[in-house]
């Protein structure tokens, strides 16, 4: 059995209702994005930790103001860049006006080139979000194929499904994953196109 992965919208709703477990899940899922941005700016571990703490404090303050929970990853990336720029430029720290929407934030000329590590962190978060929207059957099957690879005969035994139906079911589950809005901008990503067969 795989652990329950809740959609971001549900996590945000529960966190706003005071569910500490939901808040912890948000931090666990999106902390890699924050740390990837910090590494872009080559901050020391101490400065990166300071930025991370500030970002999550601001997230607590502003979580209820997000128009769409799906905007959270981009919002975190933008806020983290702002905090990193403060430290990198040795500017005096002051609160940033976070009411400004992400699309109104001017691009940082030093951070316009895609960063592979940041993109990977965003993609992992996106996949977790999309994965949460699949049926339990699909989640269990894909976890046994991709996350914890098992031979098909073992998958058949664990899930109680014929060996011959595993491949077609896998394809249908991946098609559902690719069709989700959160995945559309990543269609064609290698992680969704390939996967070992362990028949």
């Amino acid at each position: 059995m795989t652990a329950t992965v809740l959609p971001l919208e549900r996590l945000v709703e529960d966190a706003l209702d005071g569910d500490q477990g939901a808040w912890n899940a948000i931090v666990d899922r999106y902390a890699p994005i924050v740390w990837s941005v910090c590494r872009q700016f080559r901050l020391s571990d101490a400065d990166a930790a300071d930025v991370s703490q500030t970002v999550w404090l601001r997230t607590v303050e502003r979580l209820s103001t997000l128009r769409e929970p799906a905007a959270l990853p981009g919002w975190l990336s933008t806020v983290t860049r702002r905090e990193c720029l403060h430290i990198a430029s040795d500017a005096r720290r002051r609160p940033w006006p976070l009411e400004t929407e992400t699309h109104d934030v001017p691009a940082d000329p030093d951070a316009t080139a895609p960063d592979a590590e940041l993109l990977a962190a965003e993609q992992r978060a996106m996949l977790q979000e999309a994965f949460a929207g699949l049926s339990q059957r699909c989640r269990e099957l894909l976890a046994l194929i991709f996350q914890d690879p098992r031979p098909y005969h073992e998958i058949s035994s664990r899930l109680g499904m014929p060996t011959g139906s595993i491949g077609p079911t896998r394809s249908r589950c991946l098609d559902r994953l690719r069709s989700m809005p959160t995945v559309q901008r990543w269609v064609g990503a290698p992680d969704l196109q390939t996967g070992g067969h362990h028949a």
Side-chain angles (χ1 to χ4, degrees):
M1 298 292 292
T2 57
T4 300
V5 181
L6 295 177
L8 178 57
E9 184 176 352
R10 172 68 181 279
L11 288 176
V12 169
E13 180 181 335
D14 289 350
L16 291 174
D17 286 339
D19 186 333
Q20 185 62 42
W23 171 252
N24 291 342
I26 290 173
V27 175
D28 288 344
R29 185 178 298 182
Y30 296 104
I33 292 178
V34 175
W35 284 98
S36 293
V37 174
C38 289
R39 283 190 286 270
Q40 270 190 320
F41 285 83
R42 298 182 176 83
L43 299 185
S44 67
D45 289 346
D47 283 342
D50 191 41
V51 166
S52 179
Q53 181 179 27
T54 300
V55 168
W56 291 117
L57 285 174
R58 296 197 187 287
T59 305
V60 170
E61 296 169 354
R62 298 293 180 176
L63 192 60
S64 63
T65 69
L66 283 178
R67 293 180 181 177
E68 295 291 340
L72 181 60
W75 187 88
L76 285 171
S77 180
T78 297
V79 175
T80 305
R81 277 199 183 91
R82 288 171 164 177
E83 294 300 327
C84 288
L85 282 169
H86 270 262
I87 290 181
S89 64
D90 291 325
R92 179 181 179 182
R93 297 188 186 182
R94 63 185 183 279
W96 284 86
L98 299 183
E99 292 81 0
T100 304
E101 293 298 320
T102 299
H103 63 262
D104 293 330
V105 179
D108 171 25
D110 294 327
T112 53
D115 178 81
E117 188 175 3
L118 177 57
L119 290 176
E122 291 177 340
Q123 186 179 21
R124 285 193 296 272
M126 175 277 300
L127 285 173
Q128 281 188 297
E129 171 67 9
F131 190 75
L134 293 174
S135 67
Q136 181 177 345
R137 187 73 158 176
C138 280
R139 292 198 303 269
E140 291 176 348
L141 177 60
L142 294 183
L144 290 174
I145 292 176
F146 294 103
Q147 297 176 1
D148 184 20
R150 303 297 177 113
Y152 275 12
H153 69 83
E154 185 175 336
I155 294 174
S156 173
S157 176
R158 291 185 63 169
L159 299 184
M161 60 189 302
T163 302
S165 69
I166 293 176
T169 303
R170 164 188 175 273
S171 296
R172 287 194 296 271
C173 291
L174 287 176
D175 285 343
R176 290 172 194 161
L177 196 64
R178 294 188 189 101
S179 69
M180 292 182 179
T182 53
V183 179
Q184 287 302 302
R185 65 192 178 98
W186 295 100
V187 169
D191 287 349
L192 297 184
Q193 297 292 342
T194 61
H197 283 259
H198 301 276

